[in-house]
Amino acid sequence: MAKVSPAEVERLLKGVDYPASKKDLINHVKQESKEVLDALQQLPDETFQRPTDVNKAIGEISRESR
């Protein structure tokens, strides 16, 4: 997975109503950033309560793929 900036993720997810599913997040950023979209597609199928939960999950996936 490409390195994705937490600030970029939060910027692109601005306006999302939480709690939000993985599908909700992907639909929100579809046209914005391929890197963030790729990262979101690798998230587990769960509901995220806040943007920091999304960034935490992306960070965990990133560490596992090294």
Side-chain angles (χ1 to χ4, degrees):
M1 171 172 37
K3 178 101 170 112
V4 179
S5 150
E8 177 74 358
V9 172
E10 287 192 32
R11 183 184 71 76
L12 292 174
L13 293 179
K14 186 173 183 167
V16 170
D17 292 324
Y18 288 90
S21 69
K22 173 183 172 178
K23 184 178 178 180
D24 295 333
L25 300 173
I26 289 170
N27 285 335
H28 191 79
V29 300
K30 259 185 186 171
Q31 304 300 320
E32 299 296 325
S33 168
K34 181 173 175 5
E35 288 178 340
V36 174
L37 182 59
D38 289 345
L40 293 176
Q41 290 174 331
Q42 294 182 48
L43 291 175
D45 289 325
E46 62 184 64
T47 299
F48 299 89
Q49 299 300 314
R50 58 192 66 82
T52 53
D53 296 338
V54 177
N55 274 320
K56 181 179 177 185
I58 289 172
E60 289 171 2
I61 292 168
S62 180
R63 282 189 295 278
E64 290 172 4
S65 68
R66 290 185 197 167

Coordinates of all heavy atoms in Angstrom, one line a residue:
M1 N 0.8 -1.2 0.0 CA 0.0 0.0 0.0 C 0.9 1.2 0.0 O 1.9 1.3 0.7 CB -0.9 0.0 1.2 CG -1.6 1.3 1.4 SD -2.9 1.4 2.7 CE -2.3 0.5 4.0
A2 N 0.5 2.2 -0.8 CA 1.2 3.5 -0.8 C 1.1 4.2 0.5 O 0.0 4.1 1.1 CB 0.7 4.3 -2.0
K3 N 2.1 4.9 0.9 CA 2.0 5.7 2.1 C 1.0 6.8 1.9 O 1.0 7.6 1.0 CB 3.4 6.3 2.4 CG 3.5 7.1 3.6 CD 4.0 6.4 4.8 CE 4.3 7.3 5.9 NZ 3.4 7.1 7.1
V4 N 0.1 6.9 2.9 CA -1.0 7.9 2.8 C -0.9 8.8 4.0 O -0.8 8.3 5.1 CB -2.4 7.2 2.7 CG1 -3.5 8.2 2.7 CG2 -2.5 6.3 1.5
S5 N -0.9 10.0 3.8 CA -0.8 11.0 4.9 C -2.1 11.0 5.7 O -3.2 11.2 5.1 CB -0.5 12.4 4.3 OG -1.1 13.4 5.1
P6 N -2.1 11.0 7.0 CA -3.3 11.1 7.8 C -4.0 12.4 7.6 O -5.2 12.4 7.6 CB -2.8 11.0 9.3 CG -1.5 10.2 9.2 CD -0.9 10.6 7.9
A7 N -3.3 13.5 7.4 CA -3.9 14.8 7.1 C -4.7 14.7 5.8 O -5.8 15.3 5.7 CB -2.8 15.9 7.0
E8 N -4.1 14.0 4.8 CA -4.8 13.9 3.5 C -6.1 13.1 3.6 O -7.1 13.4 3.1 CB -3.9 13.2 2.5 CG -4.5 13.0 1.1 CD -4.7 14.2 0.3 OE1 -4.4 15.3 0.7 OE2 -5.2 14.1 -0.9
V9 N -6.0 12.0 4.4 CA -7.2 11.2 4.6 C -8.3 12.0 5.3 O -9.4 12.0 4.9 CB -6.9 9.9 5.5 CG1 -8.1 9.2 5.9 CG2 -5.9 9.0 4.7
E10 N -7.9 12.7 6.4 CA -8.9 13.5 7.1 C -9.5 14.6 6.2 O -10.7 14.9 6.2 CB -8.3 14.1 8.3 CG -8.1 13.1 9.4 CD -7.8 13.6 10.8 OE1 -8.2 14.7 11.1 OE2 -7.1 12.9 11.5
R11 N -8.6 15.2 5.3 CA -9.1 16.3 4.4 C -10.2 15.7 3.5 O -11.2 16.3 3.2 CB -8.0 16.9 3.7 CG -8.4 18.0 2.7 CD -7.2 18.6 1.9 NE -6.8 17.7 0.9 CZ -7.4 17.4 -0.3 NH1 -8.6 18.1 -0.5 NH2 -7.0 16.6 -1.2
L12 N -9.9 14.5 2.9 CA -10.8 13.9 1.9 C -12.0 13.4 2.6 O -13.1 13.3 1.9 CB -10.0 12.8 1.1 CG -8.9 13.4 0.2 CD1 -8.2 12.2 -0.4 CD2 -9.5 14.2 -0.9
L13 N -12.0 13.0 3.8 CA -13.1 12.5 4.5 C -14.0 13.6 5.2 O -15.0 13.3 5.8 CB -12.7 11.4 5.5 CG -12.1 10.2 4.9 CD1 -11.7 9.2 6.0 CD2 -13.1 9.5 3.9
K14 N -13.6 14.8 5.0 CA -14.3 15.9 5.6 C -15.8 15.9 5.0 O -16.0 15.7 3.8 CB -13.7 17.3 5.3 CG -14.3 18.4 5.9 CD -13.6 19.7 5.7 CE -14.2 20.8 6.5 NZ -13.4 22.0 6.6
G15 N -16.7 16.0 5.9 CA -18.1 16.0 5.5 C -18.8 14.6 5.6 O -20.0 14.5 5.4
V16 N -18.0 13.6 6.0 CA -18.6 12.3 6.2 C -19.3 12.3 7.5 O -18.9 12.8 8.5 CB -17.5 11.2 6.2 CG1 -18.1 9.8 6.6 CG2 -16.8 11.1 4.8
D17 N -20.5 11.7 7.4 CA -21.3 11.5 8.7 C -20.9 10.2 9.3 O -21.0 9.2 8.7 CB -22.8 11.5 8.3 CG -23.3 12.9 7.9 OD1 -22.8 13.9 8.4 OD2 -24.2 12.9 7.0
Y18 N -20.4 10.3 10.6 CA -20.0 9.1 11.3 C -21.1 8.8 12.3 O -21.8 9.7 12.8 CB -18.7 9.4 12.1 CG -17.5 9.5 11.1 CD1 -17.1 10.7 10.6 CD2 -16.8 8.4 10.8 CE1 -16.1 10.8 9.7 CE2 -15.7 8.4 10.0 CZ -15.3 9.6 9.4 OH -14.3 9.7 8.6
P19 N -21.2 7.5 12.6 CA -20.4 6.4 12.2 C -20.6 6.1 10.7 O -21.7 6.4 10.1 CB -20.9 5.2 13.0 CG -22.2 5.6 13.6 CD -22.3 7.1 13.5
A20 N -19.5 5.6 10.0 CA -19.5 5.4 8.6 C -18.9 4.0 8.3 O -17.9 3.6 8.9 CB -18.7 6.5 7.9
S21 N -19.5 3.4 7.3 CA -19.0 2.1 6.9 C -17.8 2.3 5.9 O -17.6 3.4 5.4 CB -20.1 1.2 6.3 OG -20.4 1.8 5.0
K22 N -17.1 1.2 5.7 CA -16.0 1.2 4.7 C -16.6 1.7 3.3 O -16.0 2.5 2.7 CB -15.4 -0.2 4.6 CG -14.5 -0.4 3.4 CD -14.0 -1.8 3.4 CE -13.1 -2.1 2.2 NZ -12.6 -3.5 2.1
K23 N -17.8 1.1 3.0 CA -18.4 1.5 1.7 C -18.7 3.0 1.7 O -18.5 3.7 0.6 CB -19.7 0.7 1.5 CG -20.4 0.9 0.2 CD -21.6 0.0 0.1 CE -22.4 0.3 -1.2 NZ -23.5 -0.5 -1.4
D24 N -19.2 3.6 2.8 CA -19.5 5.0 2.8 C -18.3 5.8 2.6 O -18.3 6.8 1.9 CB -20.1 5.4 4.2 CG -21.4 4.8 4.5 OD1 -22.2 4.5 3.6 OD2 -21.7 4.6 5.7
L25 N -17.1 5.4 3.2 CA -15.9 6.1 3.0 C -15.4 6.1 1.6 O -15.0 7.1 1.0 CB -14.8 5.5 4.0 CG -15.1 5.6 5.5 CD1 -14.1 4.8 6.3 CD2 -15.3 7.0 6.0
I26 N -15.4 4.9 1.0 CA -15.0 4.7 -0.4 C -15.9 5.6 -1.3 O -15.3 6.3 -2.2 CB -15.0 3.2 -0.8 CG1 -13.9 2.5 -0.1 CG2 -14.9 3.1 -2.3 CD1 -14.0 1.0 -0.2
N27 N -17.2 5.5 -1.1 CA -18.0 6.3 -2.0 C -17.7 7.8 -1.9 O -17.9 8.6 -2.8 CB -19.5 6.1 -1.7 CG -20.0 4.7 -2.2 OD1 -19.4 4.2 -3.2 ND2 -21.0 4.2 -1.6
H28 N -17.4 8.3 -0.7 CA -17.1 9.7 -0.5 C -15.8 10.2 -1.2 O -15.8 11.3 -1.6 CB -17.0 10.0 1.0 CG -16.9 11.4 1.4 ND1 -18.1 12.2 1.4 CD2 -15.9 12.3 1.7 CE1 -17.8 13.4 1.7 NE2 -16.5 13.5 1.9
V29 N -14.8 9.3 -1.3 CA -13.5 9.8 -1.9 C -13.3 9.2 -3.3 O -12.2 9.4 -3.9 CB -12.3 9.4 -1.0 CG1 -12.4 10.1 0.3 CG2 -12.1 8.0 -0.9
K30 N -14.2 8.5 -3.9 CA -14.0 7.9 -5.2 C -13.3 8.7 -6.2 O -12.4 8.2 -6.9 CB -15.4 7.5 -5.8 CG -15.7 6.0 -5.6 CD -17.0 5.7 -6.3 CE -17.3 4.3 -6.0 NZ -18.6 3.9 -6.5
Q31 N -13.7 10.0 -6.4 CA -13.1 10.8 -7.5 C -11.9 11.7 -7.0 O -11.4 12.4 -7.8 CB -14.2 11.7 -8.0 CG -15.4 10.9 -8.6 CD -15.0 10.0 -9.7 OE1 -14.2 10.3 -10.5 NE2 -15.6 8.8 -9.7
E32 N -11.6 11.6 -5.7 CA -10.6 12.5 -5.2 C -9.2 12.1 -5.2 O -8.3 12.8 -5.7 CB -11.0 12.8 -3.7 CG -12.3 13.4 -3.5 CD -12.5 14.8 -4.1 OE1 -11.5 15.6 -4.1 OE2 -13.6 15.1 -4.6
S33 N -8.8 10.9 -4.8 CA -7.5 10.5 -4.6 C -7.3 9.0 -4.8 O -7.9 8.2 -4.0 CB -6.9 10.9 -3.3 OG -5.7 10.2 -3.0
K34 N -6.6 8.5 -5.8 CA -6.4 7.1 -6.0 C -5.7 6.5 -4.8 O -6.0 5.4 -4.4 CB -5.6 6.8 -7.3 CG -5.5 5.3 -7.5 CD -4.9 5.1 -8.9 CE -4.6 3.6 -9.2 NZ -4.9 2.6 -8.2
E35 N -4.7 7.1 -4.3 CA -3.9 6.6 -3.1 C -4.8 6.4 -1.9 O -4.8 5.3 -1.3 CB -2.8 7.5 -2.8 CG -1.6 7.4 -3.8 CD -0.5 8.4 -3.4 OE1 -0.7 9.3 -2.6 OE2 0.6 8.2 -3.9
V36 N -5.6 7.4 -1.6 CA -6.5 7.2 -0.4 C -7.6 6.2 -0.7 O -7.9 5.4 0.1 CB -7.1 8.6 0.0 CG1 -8.2 8.4 1.1 CG2 -6.1 9.5 0.4
L37 N -8.1 6.2 -1.9 CA -9.1 5.2 -2.3 C -8.5 3.8 -2.2 O -9.2 2.9 -1.6 CB -9.6 5.4 -3.8 CG -10.7 4.5 -4.3 CD1 -11.9 4.5 -3.4 CD2 -11.0 4.8 -5.7
D38 N -7.3 3.6 -2.6 CA -6.6 2.2 -2.5 C -6.5 1.9 -1.0 O -6.7 0.7 -0.7 CB -5.3 2.3 -3.2 CG -5.3 2.3 -4.7 OD1 -6.4 2.0 -5.3 OD2 -4.3 2.6 -5.3
A39 N -6.1 2.8 -0.2 CA -6.0 2.6 1.2 C -7.3 2.2 1.9 O -7.4 1.3 2.6 CB -5.4 3.8 1.9
L40 N -8.4 2.9 1.5 CA -9.7 2.7 2.1 C -10.2 1.3 1.6 O -10.9 0.6 2.4 CB -10.7 3.7 1.6 CG -10.4 5.1 2.2 CD1 -11.4 6.1 1.6 CD2 -10.5 5.1 3.7
Q41 N -9.9 0.9 0.4 CA -10.4 -0.4 -0.1 C -9.7 -1.6 0.7 O -10.3 -2.7 0.7 CB -10.1 -0.5 -1.6 CG -11.0 0.4 -2.4 CD -10.7 0.4 -3.8 OE1 -9.6 0.2 -4.3 NE2 -11.8 0.6 -4.6
Q42 N -8.6 -1.3 1.3 CA -7.9 -2.4 2.1 C -8.4 -2.4 3.6 O -8.0 -3.3 4.3 CB -6.4 -2.2 2.1 CG -5.9 -2.3 0.7 CD -4.4 -2.2 0.7 OE1 -3.7 -2.7 1.5 NE2 -3.9 -1.4 -0.3
L43 N -9.3 -1.5 4.0 CA -9.8 -1.5 5.3 C -10.7 -2.7 5.6 O -11.3 -3.2 4.6 CB -10.6 -0.2 5.6 CG -9.9 1.1 5.6 CD1 -10.9 2.2 5.8 CD2 -8.9 1.1 6.8
P44 N -10.7 -3.2 6.8 CA -11.7 -4.2 7.1 C -13.1 -3.7 7.0 O -13.4 -2.5 7.1 CB -11.4 -4.6 8.6 CG -10.7 -3.4 9.1 CD -10.0 -2.7 8.0
D45 N -14.0 -4.7 6.7 CA -15.4 -4.3 6.6 C -16.0 -4.1 8.0 O -16.4 -5.0 8.7 CB -16.2 -5.4 5.9 CG -15.9 -5.5 4.4 OD1 -15.6 -4.4 3.8 OD2 -15.9 -6.6 3.9
E46 N -15.9 -2.8 8.4 CA -16.5 -2.5 9.8 C -17.0 -1.0 9.7 O -16.8 -0.3 8.7 CB -15.4 -2.7 10.9 CG -14.2 -1.8 10.7 CD -13.1 -2.1 11.8 OE1 -12.6 -3.2 11.8 OE2 -12.9 -1.2 12.6
T47 N -17.6 -0.6 10.8 CA -18.0 0.8 10.9 C -17.0 1.6 11.7 O -16.6 1.1 12.8 CB -19.4 0.8 11.6 OG1 -20.3 0.1 10.7 CG2 -19.9 2.2 11.7
F48 N -16.7 2.7 11.2 CA -15.7 3.6 11.9 C -16.5 4.7 12.6 O -17.3 5.3 12.0 CB -14.7 4.1 10.9 CG -13.9 3.0 10.2 CD1 -14.4 2.4 9.1 CD2 -12.8 2.5 10.8 CE1 -13.7 1.3 8.5 CE2 -12.1 1.5 10.2 CZ -12.6 0.9 9.1
Q49 N -16.1 5.0 13.8 CA -16.8 6.0 14.6 C -16.3 7.4 14.4 O -17.0 8.4 14.6 CB -16.6 5.7 16.1 CG -17.2 4.3 16.5 CD -18.7 4.3 16.2 OE1 -19.5 5.2 16.5 NE2 -19.1 3.2 15.5
R50 N -15.0 7.6 13.9 CA -14.5 8.9 13.8 C -13.3 8.8 12.8 O -12.8 7.7 12.6 CB -14.0 9.5 15.1 CG -13.0 8.7 15.8 CD -12.8 9.2 17.3 NE -13.9 9.0 18.1 CZ -14.3 7.8 18.7 NH1 -13.5 6.8 18.5 NH2 -15.3 7.7 19.5
P51 N -12.8 10.0 12.2 CA -11.7 9.9 11.3 C -10.4 9.3 11.8 O -9.7 8.7 11.1 CB -11.5 11.4 10.9 CG -12.8 12.1 11.2 CD -13.4 11.3 12.4
T52 N -10.2 9.5 13.1 CA -9.0 9.0 13.7 C -9.0 7.5 13.7 O -7.9 6.8 13.6 CB -8.7 9.5 15.1 OG1 -9.9 9.3 15.9 CG2 -8.4 11.0 15.2
D53 N -10.2 6.9 13.8 CA -10.3 5.4 13.7 C -9.9 4.9 12.3 O -9.3 3.9 12.1 CB -11.7 4.9 14.0 CG -12.1 5.2 15.4 OD1 -11.2 5.4 16.3 OD2 -13.3 5.3 15.7
V54 N -10.3 5.7 11.3 CA -9.9 5.3 9.9 C -8.4 5.4 9.8 O -7.8 4.5 9.2 CB -10.6 6.3 8.9 CG1 -10.1 6.0 7.5 CG2 -12.1 6.2 9.0
N55 N -7.8 6.5 10.2 CA -6.3 6.6 10.1 C -5.6 5.6 10.9 O -4.6 5.0 10.4 CB -5.9 8.0 10.6 CG -5.9 9.1 9.5 OD1 -5.6 8.8 8.3 ND2 -6.4 10.2 9.8
K56 N -6.1 5.2 12.0 CA -5.5 4.1 12.8 C -5.5 2.8 12.1 O -4.5 2.1 12.0 CB -6.2 4.0 14.2 CG -5.6 2.9 15.0 CD -6.3 2.8 16.4 CE -5.8 1.7 17.2 NZ -6.5 1.5 18.4
A57 N -6.6 2.5 11.5 CA -6.8 1.2 10.7 C -5.8 1.2 9.5 O -5.2 0.2 9.2 CB -8.2 1.0 10.3
I58 N -5.7 2.4 8.8 CA -4.8 2.5 7.6 C -3.4 2.3 8.1 O -2.6 1.6 7.5 CB -5.0 3.8 6.9 CG1 -6.4 3.9 6.2 CG2 -3.9 4.1 5.9 CD1 -6.7 5.2 5.6
G59 N -3.0 2.9 9.2 CA -1.7 2.7 9.8 C -1.3 1.3 10.1 O -0.2 0.8 9.8
E60 N -2.3 0.6 10.7 CA -2.1 -0.8 11.0 C -1.9 -1.7 9.7 O -1.0 -2.5 9.7 CB -3.3 -1.4 11.8 CG -3.3 -0.8 13.2 CD -4.6 -1.2 14.0 OE1 -5.5 -1.9 13.4 OE2 -4.7 -0.7 15.1
I61 N -2.7 -1.4 8.7 CA -2.5 -2.1 7.4 C -1.2 -1.8 6.8 O -0.5 -2.7 6.3 CB -3.7 -1.8 6.5 CG1 -5.0 -2.3 7.0 CG2 -3.4 -2.3 5.1 CD1 -6.2 -1.8 6.3
S62 N -0.8 -0.6 6.9 CA 0.5 -0.1 6.3 C 1.7 -0.8 7.0 O 2.6 -1.3 6.4 CB 0.7 1.4 6.4 OG 1.9 1.8 5.9
R63 N 1.6 -0.9 8.3 CA 2.7 -1.6 9.1 C 2.7 -3.1 8.8 O 3.8 -3.7 8.7 CB 2.5 -1.4 10.6 CG 2.9 -0.1 11.1 CD 2.9 0.1 12.6 NE 1.6 0.0 13.2 CZ 0.7 1.0 13.3 NH1 1.0 2.1 12.8 NH2 -0.5 0.8 13.8
E64 N 1.6 -3.7 8.6 CA 1.5 -5.2 8.3 C 2.1 -5.5 6.9 O 2.6 -6.6 6.7 CB 0.1 -5.7 8.4 CG -0.5 -5.7 9.8 CD -1.9 -6.0 9.8 OE1 -2.6 -6.3 8.8 OE2 -2.5 -6.0 11.0
S65 N 2.0 -4.5 6.0 CA 2.4 -4.8 4.6 C 3.9 -4.6 4.4 O 4.4 -4.8 3.3 CB 1.6 -4.0 3.6 OG 1.9 -2.6 3.8
R66 N 4.6 -4.1 5.4 CA 6.0 -3.9 5.2 C 6.8 -5.2 5.3 O 6.6 -6.1 5.8 CB 6.5 -3.0 6.3 CG 6.0 -1.6 6.2 CD 6.6 -0.7 7.2 NE 5.9 0.5 7.3 CZ 6.0 1.4 8.3 NH1 6.9 1.2 9.2 NH2 5.3 2.5 8.3

